[in-house]
Amino acid sequence: MAQPTSMIGKFFYRIWKTIDVAGRLLIGLIAVFFIIFMVRGCVKGPDLPTYDKGSVLVLAPKGVLQEQLTYVDPIQEAINEAQGSPIIETKVADLVDAINYAKEDDNIEVLMIAPNALGGAYGGITKYQDIRKALADFKTSGKKIVANADNYSQGQYYLASMADEVYMNPQGMLMFDGMGRFRTYYKTALDNLGVKINLFRVGTFKSAMEPYIRDSMSDAAKEANLEWIGDLWSEMKTDIAGSRGMSEAKFDDYINNFPQLLSDLNGDTAKLALEHGFVDKLMSRGDFRQYMIDMVGTNEKKTSFKQIHFKSYLKAKRPLIDLPSGAANQVAVVVAKGSIVDGSQKEGTIGGDSTARLIRKARQDDKVKAIVLRVDSPGGSAFASEVIRAELERAQDEGKVVVASMGGMAASGGYWISATADEIWAQPSTITGSIGIFGMFPTFQEPANKVGVFVDGVGTTPFAGALNPLKDIDPQVGGVIQNIINNGYDEFLALVARGRDMTTEQVNEIAQGRVWSGIDAKRLGLVDELGDLNDAIDAAAKLAKVDDYKVKFMKRELSEKEKFMQQLMGNAEFSDVMDGLSSDKKPNVLVQGLTKEAQKFMTQMNQFNDPNHAYIHCMCEIK
């Protein structure tokens, strides 16, 4: 940029140069910090955390509970943290392992549940139940569990209710909002934009794409949703009431009469929770800290009670290197978590090719006698789903046992990949079924025409250029796609019928895209047994007729670049570097909400990459 000659020009030029230099300097400083901490981490190596005898294990999950953590490139993760928008997740297995270690650890005296930063669970309530089961087992050691939070959301309290003592801030609140199935509907917005949604589907209850063709939920969808949501809500109520030693009637009374009960106490939400037995005592943060100090003593710095966070605890207890098992008999576990997408994908999304590759690796290992497919998925690409299922069936043909274990969700494509397993296990609150199929292809002819963009041409057949998004779909092409979708549904029915030893007519009666809870799925014959992952692993070993075996989790092999970057970023303490670099400015809530919906819409569109445009997805998240 040439330097201007006028006085005003020179003034603004100097301002611009100052900003430019300052920006370059800031980027340079961040880069220097990165290099220093990476080198320091590599040279120094990891220090194993230590903790005193009589310590408290602090179970403080953050973000969303997940079966498998979403893969994020280490550099992108550092950038996300700097911008204040990291992906925050907690792996359920990490919490369960920490609890199990602590049960046998004489140096851990108390377990504390601190759920303030817990944001929910992916795919329903099974993840809460897995942790609750581990907490129930921990109690058999005779050690105490305490819970403390400023406020309790429904999910946070679901965990906290397992504690022997539940505490809350005097200014806190506990309110149960039940379970709901709410979606954002786009039909009018899409109509206003001139976007035409060409939808092809089979199944009365296949409502996954309703938001693109309606502005409200259909009666059929409402009927089906209330059925399975009711089962999940009943599970949660029963669990909480049992943990707190109260009747479900009392629990229902608290919810149904909450406005009046709160009014009677002049709006004191904390006192209301206390009087109805949901918390044992109200304590400020300082009072609770002192209570814990009186219980277990102070830490070395005399600033708080003796404690260790579960993540540090796992570093101290888990082996530094995950050595390969030399056991003669192994049960391989392949985790399929997220939407099913064609091709190879990283953790957090199920790739047809990448997941099949893990199954193939287990199939070709002579030590592996059985494969457990752990499913936590609402479905996705029909083609990718069949790639995965076919690889499992090949393993069966070669003599290996295959058992499907359903986590929070195993619906639509999640059910497809499970359908022909030797046994299917689900948890009572698993969301499953949704046996149906749809195809969707949006076209943008009208908005394109409005800005002066047109498509025209000739072809040797009606199918030449048929799926150009800037022109309408020819009725003949639409008929072909609908026939393909109809055939896909017939294949789905036949697949389930073969796997479940039913007739296609019997399957069709409970299919039609309808979602079921694990309880109903067991009753209807869609699953064999109710139980968690460990139950499914035991069942797989029993079917394979092996008693002495090791469990082997199949993992994607990292590239050399990924290994190098994870080592650098894992050893360097980037959280220290990033402190203070993120903006404190709070975004506009309305803009943030609309932006989130737009991002969600685009993410869904990007994941629709089936080569045949055929999808088996339930879109069955709970809000």
Side-chain angles (χ1 to χ4, degrees), residues 389 412 415-421 424 433-436 489-504 506-508 510-511 524-527:
R389 192 209 63 80
S412 212
Y415 191 85
W416 181 295
I417 62 179
S418 309
T420 53
I424 301 178
S434 191
I435 300 168
Y489 182 66
D490 291 340
E491 287 184 353
F492 205 163
L493 295 180
L495 195 70
V496 176
R498 176 162 62 86
R500 305 308 304 153
D501 194 21
M502 302 166 69
T503 66
T504 54
Q506 288 174 321
V507 177
N508 189 46
I510 57 178
L524 296 169
L526 290 175
V527 305

Side-chain angles (χ1 to χ4, degrees), residues 11 27 38 124 130 190 205 209 292 342 352 407 437 483 537 562:
F11 174 74
I27 293 173
M38 284 191 291
D130 287 342
L190 292 171
F205 298 95
M209 290 294 102
M292 296 302 293
D342 192 33
I437 187 169
N483 283 332
I537 291 172
E562 288 173 325

